Amino acid sequence: MDPFDAKTWWIVGASEGLGRALAEALDAAGARLVLSARGAERLQAVAAGLRDARAVPMDVTDAGSVARAAEAAGAVDGVIYCVGLYDPMPATCWQPGTPEAMVEANFTGALRVLGRVLPGMVTRDAGRIVLIGSLAGHRGLPGAIGYGASKAALMHLGENLAVDLRGTGVRVQLANPGFIRTRLTEKNDFPMPQIMAPEAAAARVMGAIRSGRFSTSFPAPFSWLFTIGRHLPIGWFHRLFGARG
């Protein structure tokens, strides 16, 4: 059964970048969409260009905003949590408040959204949860204080959910992309191997969802550094990136 055709999907983080590209891809696949992000104007513009999409502005860092948006969204067949707040920050240049903001958006916000969506899915014994992690969540990287930890926590959450929901009709999946050409990666001043256009990354996520695999990391072979690197001594792994372990 196609997971998109005539199904209702809620994309959180849909106003630009990968989220916007996913909205366009799901729309083309026949899904009905609920689109959420903080920027109401950009969100409305995305929804206006799609076949069947509703804009429901939401701030994932505000519990009241999430509650109101979840009520407006109603029962959904699937949710994609695609929020990605990022500011490069090494521990030697710690900026108070910056890592907290990334954790709040990238991880704690997901808890708020799932707290409103998952109970209904469990009751109906049907649904799909897709969490957009990152290759940066596999192991600690230089200059990724806050971002790497928040994505690692989100990916760990996916594992928790998969275990608890085994045997139910609710499926959990992780998609862990590498570099995507967005306003966020424009902040980087280092080489970004195999950087992808948002549309190419969205196609990979769509394929991962259709495959049914629990976790998909891409693009290869760059992603192999991280999936294999999880099993290397941390010092060896850091030397791959020119950092001292």
Side-chain angles (χ1 to χ4, degrees):
M1 181 180 295
D2 189 277
F4 305 118
D5 187 34
K7 302 293 186 182
T8 300
W9 281 79
W10 187 10
I11 304 177
V12 182
S15 61
E16 51 191 280
L18 176 59
R20 178 170 188 158
L22 280 169
E24 293 168 349
L26 266 74
D27 183 72
R32 296 183 295 265
L33 299 176
V34 179
L35 307 179
S36 290
R38 285 184 300 177
E41 192 171 316
R42 288 197 302 272
L43 199 63
Q44 291 285 0
V46 175
L50 301 178
R51 176 187 49 81
D52 188 355
R54 289 188 290 135
V56 179
M58 177 178 67
D59 181 354
V60 299
T61 69
D62 182 330
S65 177
V66 172
R68 291 187 294 273
E71 184 175 357
V76 297
D77 298 296
V79 60
I80 301 177
Y81 194 81
C82 191
V83 175
L85 183 61
Y86 169 68
D87 279 298
M89 191 190 78
T92 50
C93 300
W94 197 288
Q95 302 165 29
T98 297
E100 294 95 322
M102 286 186 272
V103 171
E104 186 74 16
N106 298 343
F107 174 62
T108 309
L111 298 178
R112 293 191 182 97
V113 171
L114 291 174
R116 297 289 174 174
V117 172
L118 185 56
M121 289 183 173
V122 171
T123 298
R124 296 188 300 274
D125 197 32
R128 193 171 308 220
I129 295 165
V130 180
L131 304 177
I132 305 299
S134 170
L135 294 185
H138 283 301
R139 297 210 75 170
L141 293 171
I145 293 292
Y147 182 78
S150 66
K151 287 297 186 178
L154 187 71
M155 292 156 68
H156 191 96
L157 172 64
E159 295 181 355
N160 296 148
L161 292 170
V163 171
D164 286 347
L165 295 169
R166 184 176 296 150
T168 75
V170 183
R171 175 173 290 177
V172 181
Q173 293 178 275
L174 289 173
N176 310 313
F179 296 113
I180 301 173
R181 192 173 291 107
T182 67
R183 60 184 177 82
L184 299 180
T185 51
E186 288 176 358
K187 300 177 182 182
N188 292 334
D189 60 359
F190 52 82
M192 292 177 278
Q194 289 188 266
I195 189 167
M196 297 171 286
E199 295 76 14
R204 298 290 188 95
V205 174
M206 294 284 284
I209 295 172
R210 285 192 167 108
S211 76
R213 288 190 302 270
F214 167 65
S215 182
T216 303
S217 295
F218 61 90
F222 184 53
S223 61
W224 299 345
L225 291 176
F226 297 85
T227 53
I228 296 172
R230 285 180 301 177
H231 307 289
L232 295 175
I234 191 66
W236 294 8
F237 179 76
H238 283 167
R239 280 195 285 274
L240 294 173
F241 296 90
R244 288 159 53 180

